[in-house]
Amino acid sequence: MIPLHRAPRLGYANGTPNPKVRVMGCAGIVLAVVHPDGIDRRLSPLFTVPEFGERAGGGGKRSTGFGKRGSGGQSMNVQVEGIVLRGVDYGETHRIVTLLTPEIGKVGAMARGAKRPQSRLRALVQPLVRGTFSLAYRGQGMAIIRQGQWLEGYRAIQEDLWKHAYAGYAAELVDRFVEEATPNPGVYEFFRQWLEALAAGKDAEILTRLFELHVCEWAGVRPLLDRCAGCGAAVGYARMFDLSGGGPLCDRCLDLRRGIPIRPQTCAVMRALQSVPVNRLGDIRVGPDTRRELADLLGAYLEHHTGARLRGREYIRRLREYAWPGPLDGAGGDLV
Ligand SMILES: [Zn+2]
């Protein structure tokens, strides 16, 4: 949740000024007023917020009704669309999932009994399933998935080893780099369109490079690809890339800064991918050598700037290492 501003004159709890009160929301929509000792849920009839702050999985929720107070604290029900990023078993029959939603961002929720064969939640809480979820909050506890509707399972992704590997990697990136309980409809829509493009048979590797470039933006480390990372001069044909500086090096800076050798095509493809919307991505003819370099460079770039060890990237590398028939095979010569 994005703190819009501090509002010292607002004293919602008792009508007196409180310098610790913060107004929370996004895109001009105030979702909640956060007090040091709780959250005022009366601010908006459209949005209610069960709990904020440091606890994982909390956040503003689009309410389907007004919350009611129970003996164990406040409770409320909300309904959201979401995509399951990952899930872990909990106990013998339960499952805890991480959802990406437009209104409340990333959120954790428990599906009680979802491992039972007859459970209606069983299909809904599988990774990469898109659906609607009725979430129930009670007090400070994690959201409980009461019921939901399965909308899409991206069967073409689930049934293809490589597509599934790339989609799993993308879900890992979302899980790592999207903040919890922060409304971000743009990220949700991008991920949904990305999954549709992957399922529709678009080039999985190129889609993944496009995804990584978007993640760089979310993480605040968007590479600047037309300027030298050392001196800022315009760079046409880049032959070196400076990971720390976040861009290519010009000929004058080659000896002054540490860079890794790249092919000019690699930088050109990244420039193109930075500017194309995922739903407009056409067929980009990229040869195997440039593909490998793109994968190595962007993975190293993300890990360098975020410190994250990306398991999905390692899994894809192993798949390739064991010569599993993959998207590189039969790609012919280097085309770009
Ligand atoms: Zn330079």
Side-chain angles (χ1 to χ4, degrees):
M1 192 61 56
I2 302 165
L4 290 181
H5 60 277
R6 293 189 177 275
R9 286 191 300 276
L10 287 177
Y12 259 75
N14 52 17
T16 56
N18 185 338
K20 292 182 180 175
V21 168
R22 285 185 299 161
V23 176
M24 310 292 283
C26 76
I29 302 170
V30 175
L31 299 185
V33 173
V34 181
H35 296 276
D37 56 350
I39 296 162
D40 191 325
R41 295 169 173 80
R42 297 165 299 174
L43 187 66
S44 165
L46 290 177
F47 290 88
T48 52
V49 181
E51 58 264 349
F52 263 119
E54 288 65 45
R55 194 189 62 78
K61 310 292 182 285
R62 185 157 206 143
S63 175
T64 54
F66 293 98
K68 57 182 179 183
R69 288 179 184 273
S71 58
Q74 289 190 330
S75 64
M76 65 187 62
N77 299 317
V78 298
Q79 183 163 332
V80 291
E81 182 178 316
I83 297 170
V84 178
L85 295 176
R86 65 186 172 93
V88 291
D89 293 341
Y90 183 77
E92 291 198 0
T93 60
H94 309 319
R95 197 163 168 80
I96 295 175
V97 294
T98 303
L99 303 173
L100 180 70
T101 73
E103 295 101 334
I104 57 178
K106 196 175 70 175
V107 61
M110 180 182 290
R112 286 183 174 156
K115 286 172 65 183
R116 293 196 183 104
Q118 70 275 22
S119 171
R120 284 185 296 179
L121 297 178
R122 189 180 173 89
L124 188 67
V125 294
Q126 301 304 314
L128 301 176
V129 161
R130 184 169 72 88
T132 56
F133 299 82
S134 292
L135 304 178
Y137 283 86
R138 185 179 178 83
Q140 297 296 310
M142 175 181 277
I144 304 294
I145 302 176
R146 292 289 186 211
Q147 55 183 314
Q149 185 179 0
W150 186 96
L151 297 176
E152 202 160 1
Y154 304 104
R155 190 172 170 182
I157 296 175
Q158 306 282 4
E159 293 179 346
D160 183 289
L161 181 74
W162 280 98
K163 285 191 175 103
H164 192 260
Y166 284 119
Y169 175 44
E172 180 191 359
L173 291 173
V174 172
D175 192 23
R176 279 179 180 255
F177 294 108
V178 172
E179 283 188 52
E180 293 212 35
T182 302
N184 200 329
V187 167
Y188 179 83
E189 187 60 17
F190 171 77
F191 190 41
R192 190 183 66 77
Q193 290 182 1
W194 187 90
L195 287 171
E196 284 177 3
L198 184 66
K202 289 273 179 74
D203 191 318
E205 267 205 307
I206 296 301
L207 273 173
T208 303
R209 303 292 86 83
L210 184 146
F211 201 100
E212 289 169 326
L213 283 163
H214 273 75
V215 171
C216 290
E217 294 205 25
W218 303 343
V221 290
R222 183 183 202 263
L224 295 173
L225 299 170
D226 53 357
R227 296 278 166 188
C228 172
C231 67
V235 175
Y237 290 91
R239 295 187 290 140
M240 281 283 191
F241 192 91
D242 181 353
L243 284 182
S244 300
L249 293 173
C250 73
D251 290 345
R252 282 186 303 171
C253 292
L254 286 183
D255 299 328
L256 302 176
R257 295 176 69 102
R258 284 183 64 183
I260 52 177
I262 59 167
R263 305 148 59 86
Q265 299 95 314
T266 299
C267 206
V269 173
M270 285 198 292
R271 281 190 199 121
L273 292 178
Q274 267 187 337
S275 59
V276 63
V278 64
N279 57 354
R280 299 272 181 87
L281 182 69
D283 292 331
I284 299 182
R285 302 185 73 204
V286 182
D289 293 342
T290 305
R291 285 171 184 267
R292 283 193 191 91
E293 202 168 89
L294 279 166
D296 291 345
L297 180 64
L298 279 170
Y301 184 75
L302 270 175
E303 292 189 352
H304 178 86
H305 282 278
T306 65
R309 183 93 180 129
L310 302 169
R311 285 179 299 172
R313 183 175 174 239
E314 177 65 17
Y315 176 64
I316 291 168
R317 190 188 65 74
R318 282 193 195 169
L319 274 184
R320 183 161 297 135
E321 197 173 276
Y322 290 116
W324 199 277
L328 288 181
D329 299 312
D334 211 0
L335 304 168
V336 172

